[in-house]
Amino acid sequence: MTAPSPLETAANADAPAELTDGYHLVVDALKMNDVDTIYGVVGIPITDLARLAQAQGIRYVGFRHESNAGHAAAAAGYLTKKAGICLTVSAPGFLNGLVALANATTNCFPMVQISGSSERHLVDLKQGDYEEMDQLAAAQPFCKAAYRISRVEDIGRGIARALRTAVSGRPGGVYLDIPAAVLGSIMDAEEGAKTLSRLVDPAPRQLPAPESVDRAIELLAGAQRPLIVLGKGAAYAQADSQIREFVESTGIPYVPMSMAKGLLPDDHPQSAATARSLALKKADVVMLVGARLNWLLAHGEAPQWNPDAKFVQVDIEAKEMDSNQPIAAPLVGDIESVVEALIERTKPGQIAAPAAWREELGARSAQNVAKMAERLKADPHPMQFMGALKAVRDVIRERPEVYLVNEGANALDIARNVIDMHVPRHRLDSGTWGVMGIGMGYAIAAAVESGQPVVAVEGDSAFGFSGMEIETICRYKLPVVTVIMNNGGVYRGDDVNPYDDAPSPTTLMSAARHDVMFEAFGGKGYRATTPAEVTAALTEALAWGGPALIDCVIDPSAGTESGHIAHLNPKGITVGNITPAKK
């Protein structure tokens, strides 16, 4: 090979170096770590970041509100076990996304919110910059971790650290602050490439101690009324076959939390979901798998629970143990590794649920199922929640690939009891915080990440929190069918204001036509006043495969205040004793 001549060498030396900037390094770092989708809302200073990501092959899904984009990123993280990415502008946009980031952390969903921010030297001296805010300080109390990238050469490190933090250990939300000046900074492309890195084993297995496993086995083996509670953490773990093997090999009855429905089919013979109250009240040894003894499980306290119950808890976070009740057998590790260890170290026949316990729960389940069947037979007019949701259940029962998103008060509570699930991770709902507004974001993420049809069952009040995202659904032509339980109110639509003509605090527009609004964006709208019409509309919408909305007209008097958690309402002076102000 001929060496370059002195003239060629001089010419090469004079040639300008190839350059890169912060925008390119962010996109390159994300691609290097297999990020293929970003959910967000563009604006200063991150519009060109979204454009560049799209140009480089990353799918960008643009929303109408940052909170909904964040909920989508969180749901994507739950479904994929990879950090979902939410991209927002500074200050107000950042704050909008922070709701979803906090919710992701509470629910243990891996998510990274990347927000542009104002110039540091102006923010720190409070000089009144455009959308000035110390976003890092604001984010820290509400997420698993918060980082700021202050130099362009640290972009690769910052992206890698955020992604690892989101998925490692107990998953959660991570905030990553990138000031505008860093995005616009320019550096040598070759040197910039050297600053990027690909994560190695970001969520390594965490094996339980053998003595901890043996302690748990001994406790379960001695139980007369053992019970397994499966939480959404068990579903997230994607250890489906191992969990099923342990449940079935021991014969222990189990109760699934709402997002764990389908981890084993809801009609599984060991499911005690329809005898939940009895199971919790009488179980003497309870194994929690990816479930926490928080308010959703009455903190493990009597009278809902047996006051003498002993708990086995499987969780990757050691400090979760004893948070509400003493944990007799803590199993610290990732769920797949823990359950595999239980299977390996349990001797054949060592753990077996007594027949009397299984029969007692089975009898109560049969009794409750019969009662529910009678309620579902009724077909009153105007339509009730039960009738509309039974129609939804019957249609999607024939379509196990359908993802179900569910939020509201009565719409959530009743759907959870009526609609069975048979496939893991196909039910997404309001979760640990009971947040309203997750509906359209979760539905969009489920459709984008899976490519499968989604049915979002929404209370009309809950729908209002994210309803403008129906435009996003139509714009991207997603296979999402939104089913609105429209009873014209928050909880119910028959409340009245006895003092003047203004609507009561819980009153919505009873004549609202969500279906007409949906058609304005190019989707298919349906109005249903009977269960038969719900069945016909949902069947047609799913067969079509495009964006659709069914406005189910429900009796305004249907539903109860606050749904199944009315007991959380504080009791004070009754409304009837309030004296109206004089005008």
Side-chain angles (χ1 to χ4, degrees), residues 369-457:
V369 168
K371 288 180 180 178
M372 176 64 78
E374 285 300 313
R375 295 176 66 190
L376 290 172
K377 279 183 183 178
D379 187 17
H381 299 279
M383 185 163 56
Q384 303 289 311
F385 282 98
M386 281 283 186
L389 292 171
K390 177 180 181 293
V392 173
R393 181 201 69 180
D394 292 347
V395 173
I396 66 175
R397 178 179 283 170
E398 305 303 317
R399 301 282 299 268
E401 76 278 12
V402 169
Y403 283 76
L404 176 69
V405 173
N406 189 201
E407 66 173 334
N410 297 283
L412 172 66
D413 294 335
I414 299 172
R416 186 170 51 220
N417 294 335
V418 170
I419 301 177
D420 296 333
M421 303 304 298
H422 298 87
V423 182
R425 292 168 297 281
H426 275 54
R427 178 187 169 85
L428 297 93
D429 64 29
S430 301
T432 305
W433 254 4
V435 170
M436 295 299 106
I438 53 88
M440 297 300 94
Y442 280 17
I444 290 169
V448 167
E449 299 294 338
S450 72
Q452 297 295 330
V454 178
V455 173
V457 175

Side-chain angles (χ1 to χ4, degrees), residues 7-20:
L7 288 176
E8 290 173 326
T9 302
N12 290 335
D14 292 338
E18 186 177 352
L19 301 176
T20 190

Side-chain angles (χ1 to χ4, degrees), residues 193-378:
K194 293 178 182 178
T195 67
L196 307 182
S197 61
R198 179 178 174 83
L199 291 175
V200 177
D201 198 11
R205 298 184 68 176
Q206 297 188 28
L207 305 180
E211 60 270 22
S212 298
V213 177
D214 292 343
R215 183 188 301 118
I217 292 171
E218 182 178 355
L219 192 60
L220 289 166
Q224 293 303 304
R225 297 180 302 279
L227 180 70
I228 294 173
V229 177
L230 300 174
K232 64 177 175 294
Y236 172 82
Q238 298 189 17
D240 308 341
S241 61
Q242 294 92 336
I243 290 172
R244 183 164 192 157
E245 180 181 351
F246 182 75
V247 170
E248 293 182 340
S249 66
T250 61
I252 297 176
Y254 72 91
V255 169
M257 302 300 287
S258 61
M259 285 182 61
K261 286 166 65 70
L263 186 54
L264 282 81
D266 277 348
D267 57 1
H268 192 283
Q270 286 173 244
S271 174
T274 50
R276 173 183 165 124
S277 295
L278 178 66
L280 270 55
K281 196 174 187 68
K282 298 193 72 171
D284 60 351
V285 176
V286 181
M287 179 176 170
L288 304 162
V289 184
R292 293 172 283 182
L293 285 174
N294 54 26
W295 71 277
L296 290 166
L297 285 172
H299 305 284
E301 296 176 350
Q304 288 89 345
W305 289 84
N306 176 357
D308 298 320
K310 292 182 171 58
F311 292 95
V312 178
Q313 185 163 10
V314 182
D315 202 291
I316 202 166
E317 183 64 71
K319 68 181 181 182
E320 178 63 35
M321 308 301 172
D322 308 315
S323 59
N324 278 286
Q325 298 295 327
I327 302 302
L331 286 167
V332 179
D334 69 275
I335 288 172
E336 181 176 356
S337 297
V338 170
V339 177
E340 284 182 350
L342 287 167
I343 293 170
E344 291 170 1
R345 298 181 72 85
T346 300
K347 299 173 184 175
Q350 185 177 5
I351 300 174
W357 173 234
R358 298 198 310 270
E359 290 167 3
E360 182 179 5
L361 291 176
R364 179 64 61 87
S365 289
Q367 179 182 339
N368 289 341
V369 168
K371 288 180 180 178
M372 176 64 78
E374 285 300 313
R375 295 176 66 190
L376 290 172
K377 279 183 183 178

